[in-house]
Amino acid sequence: MVYDVAIIGGGVIGCTIARELMRYPIRAVLLEKESEVGFGTSKANSGIIHGGHHGSPNTLKGKLEWLGNQMWDTICDELGFGFKRIGELTVALAQEQLPTLEKLKQQGEEKGVPGLEMWDQERLLREEPRLNPDAIAGLYAPTTGVINPYEACFALIENACLNGLELVTDSLVQDIDQTDDIWTIKTNRGEFPTRFIINAAGLWADRIAQMAGVQPFTIRPRKGEEYILDKRLMGLVKRVIFPCPTPVSKGILVIPTYDGTIMVGPTAEMVDDKEDLTTSVAGGQTVFQMVRQVVPGISPRDCIAEFAGLRAVTETEDFIIGPTDKKGFINVAGIQSPGLTAAPAIAEMVGDILRDEGLPLQPKDDFVPSIPKPIHFVSLSTDEQIALTQENHHYGRIVCRCELITEGEILDSIHRGARTLDGIKFRSRAGMGRCQGGFCTGRCMELLSQELDQPLAQITKRGGDTWIVREREEVAK
Amino acid sequence: MITDTISHLKKEYDVVVVGGGPAGMAAALGARQAGADRILIADREKEAGGILLQCIHPGFGLQHFKEELTGPEYAQRFLEQVLETDIDIVSDAYILDISADKQVKLMSGSQGVHVLSTKAAVLAMGARERTRGAIRTPGTRASGVLTAGLAQKFVNMIGYLPGYRAVILGSGDIGLIMARRLTLEGVEVAGVFEIMPHANGLNRNIVQCLHDFDIPLHLSTTVADIHGRDRVEKVTVAPVDENFTPNLEQSWDIPCDTLLLSIGLIPENELSRQLKLQIDPVTSGPVVNSMMETSMDGVFACGNVVHIHDLVDFVSQEAFLAGSNAGAYVTEQRPPGDNIRLIPGENVRYCVPHTISTDREHTVYMRVKRPMEQSVLRLGDVYEKKLRFVLPAEMVNLKVRPRFLENFHGDTLRVDVVPFED
């Protein structure tokens, strides 16, 4: 069997493209080297749907940012994951920063971003009283939102699979050949013949392009460290807070996440190793020192977890999206910030490219745009909780104490595709709270073991060699 | 196995105890003895007993029972006393909320969600362990970094080992106990590393768990980096200076696949915060008076929720007091209120309870900030007691008798631990 389209890479870009393509009656497969989708760059992302005004209209990323921004409401509605347009404030701490804010405002207005307002000090501190009282002005953008990028990946892929996508995880692409008009992708899980390849391999997109023998480009990783703070600080700021940007960076942000934690970061450091996900003392110091200039009440003492992510950066600092010199091979590469925001617009663009390249795409009648919305037990009313626990006793049992996640929600995560502890954590939030899994890890592992019919020693944190416990060896007989 | 002792929850209780560990069980017994009638213990696990159930090592009960028991044995003694009464136990249960008018929202795997009313509540939720995020150890996010308590649960309750070769960061008691436990199970323990210049566990555990097994303890040393892409492959350890900054020039690498964290416990106060109880920033637990009553009328607290204890015997003692006062609250036989506030002074981190009264005897628990030999504990200028040595890891307790305060007319008393002078 020959596929019409094979997507390499199950990050938010691959997942959005997959879901978009399943609107059409085609045969498609998505190959992901990790155990679950979204486990690469997408998992370690700030989760901001950018307002639309930051990117220059002369760049592809600047154009797709605003287009993508407008598409997220529908997607989140259909797929039932959280999205809040909480707005953002870019804060000026000195007079000489005011022209930058003005320029951002003008740039946004030219792109059609609505609602941009310049707030003076009084308004700024009235709306966000925890800001540095010396802040002099702020640019308010109501269009900025927050989502959980991993939730987006899981929901998009679940919906794509519901509509006929074939998902193959743990499949590392080893080689790519082209004979006549058919490409063959060789992986550790077999060969996949296909007419079109979408190269959405993130940090490794250059390597995939090289295997296919198309015009080369280079992806370099830019590392960002992020720090998550205790829920005690919930409500410290209401909006995403940006410092005044410099020509090279949007700076270090204060992000009230969808779940009510505060996240601070990211740093921006070019690294050589595409697997370098280390956090550092210097990174933490930079982050806290810089955010405290804008929101002085933030302290490293409230940190409950930290992580690093890598952005895939090309020489041009812009997205590379389009067909190549070899028919059927399409690059979607160099998708750094604001890639998450732009993802739905990128997916539509890829559809158009495929059409132009000769793949007929006629919408199918039986496309199902939605998936069942996951139950979040603690946000239900008492009456709903009583009814639910009578119907399904698994919802009566709290497994994760910090985030109050029930056994029912964890079982649902597994039934929707979680294969690892991180898969459960990112779908249900079990283990994401202040005890970081100290209480619930054992129980989550037991549930995975039971539902997947795997011994406990084979359960992993995130696939590969990330085992958690080992068997006791036989004692001397 | 004891799970629920009830088939149906009552709609109304006199006392609801949140938590069925050593504190919760002693509190329920205290409430019963003080005359409370309908008492409910709600426990999160499938069996009451709390963390004691995973503490299969000996060393419990020397003070309370005058004999050495294991954790499960200690818990069983209390459970049997509870079972002789008609105290209700609901296990596998979680208290989601307690409202100002004492409506308790409870959920459990067997009972579903219920709203019941109570006259008094005792909070006995215990503590949780600090994690890597709290100390921001740099490095990769490799699998194999876990708290000592979680490792203890894997080994003693689930029956699996956390790895082949372990490094332990922090000299808290659970880490020390696990150093010995893992050694006995055939897991190699490369060493225990403590950032402070003194150990944080009981001296008896340093001797029995490390010295007896030739496991090195490195003071003023910390883990400065974690390596390994999927699973931990090695850690970098380094001595620290007086500001606790690692000196990387003197660092060395230790190959290992497991890093256990034993870096302290934090009172488990989700519910206390929800109830907006006044919290002591030093203990991270609720502020309590000498009846172990919190800032919310009729809500009492005891055990590790209030402050971290090093011996369960003291937990039981404090919890029995909290429970009997909850009982006295519902039977309207409360003693007079407190009239003296205790102020932690020289070399005293905190005192619990936070207030006392002049008309009865109290036990005041406290911790020192730093080790001191030949010291004297001073309660204002009304009483003093010589202490041969004090350690931050070992709680100090002081019996305050009414006669000390006969001629005292102030409303605050400072507690100091100062060097002894002849």
Side-chain angles (χ1 to χ4, degrees):
Chain A
M1 187 191 72
V2 176
Y3 292 96
D4 295 309
V5 181
I7 301 163
I8 299 175
V12 72
I13 300 302
C15 292
T16 326
I17 293 170
R19 197 246 179 176
E20 174 64 24
L21 294 184
M22 296 328 290
R23 295 176 188 277
Y24 309 102
I26 60 166
R27 274 189 187 150
V29 63
L30 187 145
L31 304 172
E32 167 54 51
K33 70 174 166 58
E34 302 293 333
S35 292
E36 298 191 38
V37 297
F39 270 24
T41 293
S42 301
K43 196 171 80 169
N45 179 289
S46 300
I48 299 173
I49 300 304
H50 287 282
H53 55 301
H54 283 277
S56 153
N58 304 323
T59 57
L60 188 53
K61 61 182 190 184
K63 283 176 204 148
L64 294 171
E65 176 194 5
W66 173 230
L67 278 176
N69 174 299
Q70 300 166 80
M71 297 165 78
W72 277 102
D73 303 87
T74 313
I75 297 175
C76 297
D77 260 7
E78 288 175 341
L79 300 181
F81 63 89
F83 173 46
K84 278 191 289 201
R85 286 194 188 269
I86 59 174
E88 72 166 61
L89 273 171
T90 309
V91 177
L93 293 171
Q95 287 295 330
E96 61 265 26
Q97 293 174 333
L98 292 179
T100 312
L101 294 193
E102 284 296 344
K103 193 177 148 244
L104 266 182
K105 181 165 183 276
Q106 195 188 344
Q107 176 172 289
E109 280 164 353
E110 280 165 17
K111 287 205 282 184
V113 179
L116 293 168
E117 285 174 8
M118 201 62 84
W119 287 359
D120 62 11
Q121 187 178 47
E122 194 210 325
R123 175 90 195 263
L124 193 63
L125 296 176
R126 192 171 70 228
E127 302 266 2
E128 294 287 358
R130 307 283 172 218
L131 289 181
N132 183 341
D134 297 334
I136 55 172
L139 174 63
Y140 170 61
T143 45
T144 299
V146 283
I147 66 168
N148 289 322
Y150 38 85
E151 274 182 15
C153 291
F154 295 141
L156 286 159
I157 208 72
E158 186 181 336
N159 181 255
C161 290
L162 180 72
N163 285 294
L165 175 84
E166 196 179 319
L167 169 68
V168 187
T169 53
D170 289 311
S171 63
L172 179 71
V173 174
Q174 292 162 331
D175 204 1
I176 300 171
D177 287 335
Q178 192 186 29
T179 314
D180 303 321
D181 276 351
I182 304 297
W183 292 92
T184 302
I185 305 172
K186 293 176 183 162
T187 78
N188 57 323
R189 293 191 62 185
E191 296 189 354
F192 297 86
T194 178
R195 292 170 62 206
F196 289 91
I197 292 177
I198 309 290
N199 174 16
L203 290 160
W204 302 95
D206 52 353
R207 177 95 182 89
I208 296 293
Q210 192 191 9
M211 284 182 195
V214 298
Q215 194 182 7
F217 57 90
T218 311
I219 299 280
R220 286 194 60 205
R222 184 184 287 147
K223 188 160 86 176
E225 296 181 29
E226 305 257 20
Y227 293 78
I228 300 177
L229 310 182
D230 194 288
K231 272 197 178 169
R232 185 182 80 78
L233 296 179
M234 190 188 292
L236 186 79
V237 293
K238 295 191 258 316
R239 301 165 184 82
V240 181
I241 306 295
F242 283 70
C244 193
T246 64
V248 290
S249 169
K250 291 197 193 84
I252 289 175
L253 320 182
V254 183
I255 306 157
T257 68
Y258 180 79
D259 300 295
T261 46
I262 299 264
M263 183 156 82
V264 291
T267 53
E269 180 203 356
M270 295 311 293
V271 292
D272 295 324
D273 179 0
K274 287 182 180 178
E275 291 183 350
D276 177 0
L277 293 172
T278 54
T279 51
S280 63
V281 172
Q285 281 167 349
T286 309
V287 166
F288 284 99
Q289 199 181 348
M290 289 185 71
V291 295
R292 287 174 72 137
Q293 289 172 13
V294 186
V295 184
I298 287 177
S299 150
R301 266 210 310 271
D302 286 307
C303 181
I304 62 163
E306 71 273 29
F307 61 87
L310 297 171
R311 303 117 156 149
V313 178
T314 61
E315 290 97 354
T316 59
E317 294 272 345
D318 202 0
F319 299 163
I320 298 175
I321 303 174
T324 58
D325 48 355
K326 286 200 178 172
K327 185 168 165 51
F329 190 94
I330 294 156
N331 279 322
V332 187
I335 313 297
Q336 53 158 304
S337 178
L340 174 66
T341 310
I346 293 174
E348 271 195 4
M349 185 175 166
V350 169
D352 292 341
I353 294 168
L354 282 170
R355 225 176 258 119
D356 293 345
E357 293 293 301
L359 180 68
L361 293 176
Q362 289 297 323
K364 64 186 175 196
D365 302 328
D366 55 352
F367 175 71
V368 182
S370 58
I371 53 171
K373 190 174 160 56
I375 291 171
H376 187 231
F377 182 84
V378 279
S379 18
L380 301 178
S381 71
T382 302
D383 287 345
E384 287 170 325
Q385 288 175 340
I386 291 172
L388 179 63
T389 51
Q390 276 168 358
E391 191 184 309
N392 182 341
H393 70 96
H394 293 296
Y395 285 96
R397 183 172 290 144
I398 292 280
V399 175
C400 168
R401 301 171 187 179
C402 303
E403 297 290 314
L404 297 177
I405 306 301
T406 60
E407 190 170 276
E409 288 159 275
I410 290 166
L411 289 171
D412 185 50
S413 299
I414 300 171
H415 300 154
R416 284 168 185 258
R419 291 292 170 270
T420 60
L421 266 187
D422 275 3
I424 287 182
K425 171 171 156 181
F426 287 103
R427 279 176 180 84
S428 70
R429 290 192 64 73
M432 251 194 209
R434 44 175 80 117
C435 96
Q436 291 286 298
F439 286 123
C440 65
T441 298
R443 187 65 192 138
C444 288
M445 286 171 69
E446 285 173 341
L447 291 170
L448 269 173
S449 161
Q450 163 200 315
E451 297 299 300
L452 303 180
D453 197 18
Q454 279 178 0
L456 219 57
Q458 279 176 28
I459 303 300
T460 63
K461 176 169 160 58
R462 54 167 185 271
D465 205 20
T466 62
W467 56 279
I468 297 156
V469 294
R470 69 170 173 100
E471 303 271 358
R472 267 192 166 91
E473 273 149 28
E474 280 296 309
V475 198
K477 291 185 181 91
Chain B
M1 183 171 92
I2 299 299
T3 53
D4 299 6
T5 58
I6 47 159
S7 51
H8 291 290
L9 287 160
K10 300 180 178 76
K11 286 300 286 176
E12 287 171 9
Y13 282 92
D14 284 347
V15 180
V16 168
V17 180
V18 187
M25 290 194 288
L29 290 167
R32 160 62 81 246
Q33 202 178 76
D37 209 5
R38 292 157 302 180
I39 302 168
L40 173 70
I41 300 175
D43 190 67
R44 291 180 289 218
E45 297 292 337
K46 291 192 174 150
E47 265 184 285
I51 297 297
L52 282 178
L53 299 185
Q54 69 184 56
C55 301
I56 63 173
H57 54 280
F60 299 90
L62 285 164
Q63 306 262 345
H64 192 84
F65 292 111
K66 310 292 177 216
E67 61 178 305
E68 191 169 38
L69 304 170
T70 64
E73 285 170 338
Y74 188 97
Q76 188 65 25
R77 294 261 174 124
F78 271 89
L79 186 57
E80 278 162 13
Q81 292 178 42
V82 172
L83 293 176
E84 280 168 14
T85 68
D86 60 353
I87 293 170
D88 286 349
I89 302 181
V90 56
S91 61
D92 196 7
Y94 203 91
I95 305 285
L96 284 167
D97 191 30
I98 301 175
S99 67
D101 58 350
K102 309 273 182 357
Q103 299 292 304
V104 178
K105 188 170 163 188
L106 177 148
M107 63 187 284
S108 88
S110 59
Q111 307 272 334
V113 176
H114 288 267
V115 179
L116 8 128
S117 67
T118 189
K119 292 177 184 159
V122 183
L123 307 182
M125 292 88 74
R128 86 165 91 88
E129 298 174 279
R130 292 175 80 213
T131 64
R132 178 180 175 180
I135 51 171
R136 286 178 298 129
T137 305
T140 64
R141 304 268 91 63
S143 163
V145 181
L146 69 169
T147 61
L150 178 58
Q152 190 175 48
K153 189 172 184 177
F154 280 138
V155 178
N156 293 349
M157 300 200 78
I158 308 181
Y160 286 79
L161 299 178
Y164 293 87
R165 190 172 207 268
V167 163
I168 299 177
L169 175 60
S171 58
D173 285 310
I174 317 169
L176 300 176
I177 294 287
M178 283 312 290
R180 174 176 67 186
R181 185 85 190 100
L182 290 180
T183 307
L184 291 172
E185 284 289 340
V187 177
E188 197 183 339
V189 177
V192 176
F193 297 84
E194 170 58 57
I195 195 166
M196 300 299 285
H198 52 80
N200 267 323
L202 294 173
N203 201 41
R204 74 169 195 223
N205 283 334
I206 303 282
V207 174
Q208 294 172 8
C209 300
L210 301 188
H211 294 182
D212 289 358
F213 291 84
D214 288 329
I215 299 167
L217 170 64
H218 302 260
L219 297 175
S220 296
T221 311
T222 193
V223 171
D225 209 348
I226 299 170
H227 310 266
R229 196 184 79 103
D230 279 1
R231 180 77 192 192
V232 174
E233 287 162 16
K234 62 177 180 182
V235 297
T236 302
V237 296
V240 296
D241 64 18
E242 59 278 12
N243 301 317
F244 305 112
T245 307
N247 179 349
L248 294 176
E249 281 173 10
Q250 289 178 31
S251 71
W252 73 101
D253 286 353
I254 303 177
C256 60
D257 60 16
T258 305
L259 174 63
L260 291 196
L261 305 178
S262 180
I263 51 178
L265 299 172
I266 308 172
E268 173 94 352
N269 273 303
E270 264 68 29
L271 193 55
S272 320
R273 280 183 208 282
Q274 222 166 300
L275 303 183
K276 301 202 161 38
L277 302 185
Q278 192 191 341
I279 302 280
D280 176 340
V282 178
T283 60
S284 302
V287 170
V288 287
N289 66 20
S290 67
M291 287 171 269
M292 300 307 291
E293 190 178 17
T294 67
S295 57
M296 184 168 164
D297 186 54
V299 174
F300 298 78
C302 55
N304 280 352
V305 145
V306 178
H307 59 131
I308 303 302
H309 297 63
D310 38 55
L311 293 181
V312 70
D313 306 77
F314 294 129
V315 167
S316 302
Q317 200 176 335
E318 183 187 280
F320 192 84
L321 176 73
S324 39
N325 279 302
Y329 177 89
V330 301
T331 55
E332 294 174 7
Q333 291 171 344
R334 284 220 278 188
D338 293 339
N339 51 353
I340 294 176
R341 198 153 61 90
L342 295 175
I343 312 280
E346 174 67 24
N347 200 18
V348 176
R349 277 189 60 219
Y350 70 79
C351 300
V352 165
H354 294 76
T355 57
I356 56 173
S357 84
T358 42
D359 63 290
R360 56 190 183 270
E361 185 174 297
H362 305 283
T363 303
V364 174
Y365 299 100
M366 68 197 78
R367 269 185 203 281
V368 296
K369 295 177 186 169
R370 53 184 187 277
M372 197 180 274
E373 282 183 30
Q374 299 301 328
S375 57
V376 56
L377 191 163
R378 282 213 183 101
L379 180 66
D381 52 9
V382 301
Y383 178 74
E384 63 177 50
K385 160 179 165 183
K386 272 190 223 166
L387 299 167
R388 201 154 56 82
F389 63 89
V390 290
L391 296 168
E394 305 200 351
M395 207 159 73
V396 177
N397 63 69
L398 169 69
K399 275 236 159 39
V400 183
R401 301 179 200 280
R403 64 178 165 81
F404 301 168
L405 305 168
E406 263 167 16
N407 299 314
F408 179 73
H409 300 292
D411 51 12
T412 61
L413 268 175
R414 220 176 105 119
V415 186
D416 299 291
V417 174
V418 291
F420 176 72
E421 286 157 22
D422 289 304

